[in-house]
Amino acid sequence: MHTPPDIQKLLSQIDALEERLMQMQKLAALGELTSTATHEFNNVLTTIINYAKLGLRNKDEANRTKAFDKILAAANRAAKITNTILAAAKNRKKEFEPTDFIGLVSDSLLLLEKELSKYRITLEKAFPEQLPEIMADGNQIQQVILNLLINARQAMPDGGTLSLKIHYDEENEMIDFVVRDFGIGIPQDKLPRIFEPFYTTKSAPDETGKGGTGLGLANCKNIIEQHQGLIRVESTEGKGTAFTVKLPTVIRTKLIEELGARK
C-alpha cells in the first residue's frame, strides 16, 4: 500500500522529533551524572585541604598522623570517583555486554554517598552475595539507577530511610531492583503520567541543580524497555514511593535472541 507524500513527511517529522527527544533525555542524564560527580569530588577536595591545613598547623606527631590518615582516605575516595567516571566515559559502545548490576549500584551509591549523608538519608540494603550478570549498556543502566536514587532522596527533604533491594528471580531469569522511599509520595491523579516526557511533579530543580526537567523518568523507561525490561511504580501520598526495575539476565537475553532467530 502506497503512503501519501504528506503522510510520509509527517512520519519523518515524528521520527526526527523522537530522535531529538532521545538526545535531550541523554543530555539531561549526563548533566545530572556530571553534576553529581563534580559535587562529590568537591567535597573530597575540601576534606583534603582542611586536613592538610590541620597537619601544617599542628607540630605534634599524633595530630599530624591523624591528618595524614584523613587525607589518604579522602584521596582514595577521590580515586574511586575518578575511576567510576573514567569507566563511564570509556564505555561508549552501543553494544550490550555482560554487566555486574550490583557493581553499578555500588558505584552509584559511591557518587551519592555525601549527598545522602547531607540530607540525612539512612540507607538500607538487601543485596544477594552473588548475582547473574545482565546484558546491558552499563552507562545507561547507571543513569537509571542514579535517577531513581536522586528522586528518592528528593522525596524526603527532611531526611528518612532509603531502602534498596536486589532479588534474583531464578525461575524467570530476571533481576529485580526495588528503590523505596518513605517520603511525600505521588498523588494518584499524577501517577499515570510520571513516565511521560516533560511531565514532572517537581516545581524546579533543587539546590543541587537536579530534577525538574521532566525527562528523567521518561529516559529511564526508554532505557529499561531497550534492555527488554520493565519499570513500574507504586506510591501512596504521604507514605512514600517504590520503583521496581526488572532486567533480564544474560541467560534470558540469549534465549530471547535464539527464539527470535528461529522465527
Side-chain angles (χ1 to χ4, degrees):
M1 183 177 177
H2 178 68
T3 304
D6 56 339
I7 300 298
Q8 289 181 348
K9 182 178 180 180
L10 179 60
L11 291 174
S12 177
Q13 291 174 339
I14 291 173
D15 288 341
L17 287 172
E18 288 180 344
E19 180 64 26
R20 288 179 62 186
L21 176 59
M22 286 290 291
Q23 292 300 320
M24 290 177 66
Q25 290 170 338
K26 290 176 182 178
L27 287 172
L30 179 60
E32 289 201 350
L33 174 60
T34 303
S35 173
T36 299
T38 302
H39 183 71
E40 288 298 300
F41 205 84
N42 187 59
N43 287 334
V44 173
L45 288 178
T46 300
T47 299
I48 292 173
I49 291 169
N50 288 339
Y51 276 103
K53 290 179 179 178
L54 179 65
L56 289 171
R57 286 198 304 266
N58 289 275
K59 303 303 180 182
D60 62 288
E61 187 175 345
N63 281 325
R64 290 174 72 92
T65 299
K66 177 184 177 182
F68 282 129
D69 287 342
K70 294 292 187 180
I71 290 171
L72 179 60
N76 285 332
R77 174 172 167 74
K80 289 181 180 179
I81 293 173
T82 302
N83 289 335
T84 298
I85 299 302
L86 287 176
K90 290 177 181 177
N91 182 21
R92 295 182 178 180
K93 297 182 296 182
K94 293 302 180 183
E95 303 129 1
F96 292 178
E97 60 185 6
T99 302
D100 174 16
F101 184 75
I102 292 181
L104 292 179
V105 176
S106 298
D107 286 346
S108 300
L109 290 173
L110 172 69
L111 293 175
L112 293 174
E113 182 180 320
K114 296 296 182 181
E115 182 173 327
L116 295 177
S117 176
K118 175 184 176 181
Y119 289 96
R120 303 179 302 284
I121 303 298
T122 301
L123 193 63
E124 291 184 353
K125 297 189 297 182
F127 296 175
E129 291 186 5
Q130 293 184 326
L131 195 70
E133 292 181 315
I134 59 173
M135 191 69 76
D137 178 327
N139 283 353
Q140 290 188 336
I141 296 300
Q142 188 171 37
Q143 289 175 14
V144 173
I145 296 168
L146 283 168
N147 190 276
L148 295 180
L149 294 179
I150 291 168
N151 282 351
R153 190 272 294 165
Q154 291 175 327
M156 299 182 287
D158 299 320
T161 299
L162 172 57
S163 172
L164 305 180
K165 294 182 180 179
I166 300 176
H167 170 68
Y168 171 35
D169 179 359
E170 187 173 1
E171 181 179 356
N172 295 301
E173 285 296 338
M174 297 287 285
I175 303 301
D176 296 348
F177 178 50
V178 181
V179 179
R180 180 182 296 277
D181 69 65
F182 297 88
I184 57 178
I186 303 171
Q188 291 301 306
D189 61 325
K190 296 182 178 179
L191 205 55
R193 299 190 60 193
I194 63 171
F195 292 111
E196 293 179 11
F198 302 109
Y199 184 81
T200 179
T201 59
K202 304 168 187 174
S203 57
D206 67 9
E207 61 182 11
T208 67
K210 299 181 178 117
T213 63
L215 292 173
L217 289 175
N219 190 38
C220 287
K221 186 173 185 293
N222 286 340
I223 289 173
I224 296 303
E225 289 179 349
Q226 288 168 11
H227 283 75
Q228 300 177 351
L230 298 168
I231 182 170
R232 65 170 184 259
V233 59
E234 297 175 358
S235 188
T236 301
E237 198 168 2
K239 293 185 177 180
T241 302
F243 282 91
T244 300
V245 173
K246 301 176 75 69
L247 289 166
T249 64
V250 170
I251 293 174
R252 182 181 176 93
T253 301
K254 289 182 177 179
L255 286 173
I256 292 174
E257 290 175 353
E258 289 175 3
L259 288 172
R262 289 175 188 173
K263 292 179 181 179

